mmCIF file of all heavy atoms in Angstrom:
data_model
loop_
_atom_site.group_PDB
_atom_site.id
_atom_site.type_symbol
_atom_site.label_atom_id
_atom_site.label_comp_id
_atom_site.label_asym_id
_atom_site.label_seq_id
_atom_site.Cartn_x
_atom_site.Cartn_y
_atom_site.Cartn_z
ATOM 1 N N PHE R 434 10.979 -13.832 -7.212
ATOM 2 C CA PHE R 434 10.599 -12.582 -6.545
ATOM 3 C C PHE R 434 11.395 -11.391 -7.054
ATOM 4 O O PHE R 434 10.880 -10.284 -7.050
ATOM 5 C CB PHE R 434 10.767 -12.765 -5.034
ATOM 6 C CG PHE R 434 9.576 -13.378 -4.364
ATOM 7 C CD1 PHE R 434 9.309 -14.733 -4.560
ATOM 8 C CD2 PHE R 434 8.781 -12.654 -3.522
ATOM 9 C CE1 PHE R 434 8.231 -15.324 -3.940
ATOM 10 C CE2 PHE R 434 7.691 -13.260 -2.895
ATOM 11 C CZ PHE R 434 7.418 -14.585 -3.112
ATOM 12 N N LEU R 435 12.657 -11.588 -7.406
ATOM 13 C CA LEU R 435 13.465 -10.445 -7.883
ATOM 14 C C LEU R 435 12.886 -9.750 -9.092
ATOM 15 O O LEU R 435 12.730 -8.526 -9.115
ATOM 16 C CB LEU R 435 14.899 -10.896 -8.119
ATOM 17 C CG LEU R 435 15.866 -9.800 -8.638
ATOM 18 C CD1 LEU R 435 15.944 -8.662 -7.617
ATOM 19 C CD2 LEU R 435 17.222 -10.374 -8.968
ATOM 20 N N PRO R 461 -4.661 17.209 -10.739
ATOM 21 C CA PRO R 461 -4.820 16.464 -9.482
ATOM 22 C C PRO R 461 -4.812 14.961 -9.656
ATOM 23 O O PRO R 461 -4.189 14.239 -8.884
ATOM 24 C CB PRO R 461 -6.160 16.997 -8.969
ATOM 25 C CG PRO R 461 -6.239 18.387 -9.476
ATOM 26 C CD PRO R 461 -5.619 18.325 -10.830
ATOM 27 N N THR R 494 17.272 -14.520 10.254
ATOM 28 C CA THR R 494 17.202 -13.695 11.429
ATOM 29 C C THR R 494 17.041 -12.204 11.087
ATOM 30 O O THR R 494 17.511 -11.744 10.055
ATOM 31 C CB THR R 494 18.478 -13.865 12.302
ATOM 32 O OG1 THR R 494 19.634 -13.506 11.488
ATOM 33 C CG2 THR R 494 18.611 -15.281 12.797
ATOM 34 N N VAL R 557 1.569 9.102 12.126
ATOM 35 C CA VAL R 557 1.023 9.386 13.475
ATOM 36 C C VAL R 557 0.290 8.165 14.032
ATOM 37 O O VAL R 557 0.493 7.763 15.172
ATOM 38 C CB VAL R 557 0.102 10.628 13.417
ATOM 39 C CG1 VAL R 557 -0.652 10.789 14.747
ATOM 40 C CG2 VAL R 557 0.895 11.888 13.134
ATOM 41 N N ILE R 577 8.990 -16.044 14.151
ATOM 42 C CA ILE R 577 7.864 -15.408 13.512
ATOM 43 C C ILE R 577 7.456 -16.241 12.297
ATOM 44 O O ILE R 577 8.256 -16.313 11.331
ATOM 45 C CB ILE R 577 8.135 -13.948 13.124
ATOM 46 C CG1 ILE R 577 8.451 -13.108 14.375
ATOM 47 C CG2 ILE R 577 6.989 -13.341 12.353
ATOM 48 C CD1 ILE R 577 8.853 -11.692 14.035
ATOM 49 N N CYS R 592 5.461 -11.902 25.871
ATOM 50 C CA CYS R 592 5.197 -12.515 27.198
ATOM 51 C C CYS R 592 4.301 -11.621 28.014
ATOM 52 O O CYS R 592 3.844 -12.045 29.112
ATOM 53 C CB CYS R 592 6.518 -12.689 27.977
ATOM 54 S SG CYS R 592 7.762 -13.691 27.059
ATOM 55 N N SER R 593 4.037 -10.425 27.590
ATOM 56 C CA SER R 593 3.168 -9.469 28.321
ATOM 57 C C SER R 593 1.724 -9.731 28.011
ATOM 58 O O SER R 593 1.366 -10.491 27.113
ATOM 59 C CB SER R 593 3.568 -8.030 27.994
ATOM 60 O OG SER R 593 4.941 -7.779 28.176
ATOM 61 N N THR R 595 -1.189 -8.764 26.103
ATOM 62 C CA THR R 595 -1.275 -8.040 24.835
ATOM 63 C C THR R 595 -2.681 -7.615 24.505
ATOM 64 O O THR R 595 -2.975 -7.155 23.423
ATOM 65 C CB THR R 595 -0.725 -8.890 23.696
ATOM 66 O OG1 THR R 595 -1.508 -10.099 23.608
ATOM 67 C CG2 THR R 595 0.738 -9.247 23.926
ATOM 68 N N ILE R 628 -23.175 9.936 -13.498
ATOM 69 C CA ILE R 628 -22.847 9.385 -14.809
ATOM 70 C C ILE R 628 -24.085 8.867 -15.508
ATOM 71 O O ILE R 628 -24.257 9.043 -16.749
ATOM 72 C CB ILE R 628 -21.806 8.264 -14.682
ATOM 73 C CG1 ILE R 628 -20.424 8.874 -14.263
ATOM 74 C CG2 ILE R 628 -21.648 7.511 -15.986
ATOM 75 C CD1 ILE R 628 -19.356 7.832 -13.996
ATOM 76 N N LEU R 679 1.175 -11.718 1.096
ATOM 77 C CA LEU R 679 1.973 -11.918 -0.113
ATOM 78 C C LEU R 679 1.277 -11.256 -1.294
ATOM 79 O O LEU R 679 1.936 -10.626 -2.144
ATOM 80 C CB LEU R 679 2.138 -13.424 -0.356
ATOM 81 C CG LEU R 679 3.229 -13.839 -1.334
ATOM 82 C CD1 LEU R 679 4.591 -13.477 -0.820
ATOM 83 C CD2 LEU R 679 3.140 -15.359 -1.574
ATOM 84 N N ASP R 706 5.593 10.438 -25.350
ATOM 85 C CA ASP R 706 6.310 11.697 -25.575
ATOM 86 C C ASP R 706 7.498 11.825 -24.645
ATOM 87 O O ASP R 706 8.540 12.349 -25.042
ATOM 88 C CB ASP R 706 5.352 12.870 -25.299
ATOM 89 C CG ASP R 706 4.263 12.957 -26.386
ATOM 90 O OD1 ASP R 706 4.427 12.324 -27.437
ATOM 91 O OD2 ASP R 706 3.268 13.637 -26.138
#
Side-chain angles (χ1 to χ4, degrees):
F434 276 70
L435 179 60
T494 57
V557 170
I577 297 177
C592 304
S593 306
T595 60
I628 290 175
L679 196 64
D706 292 344

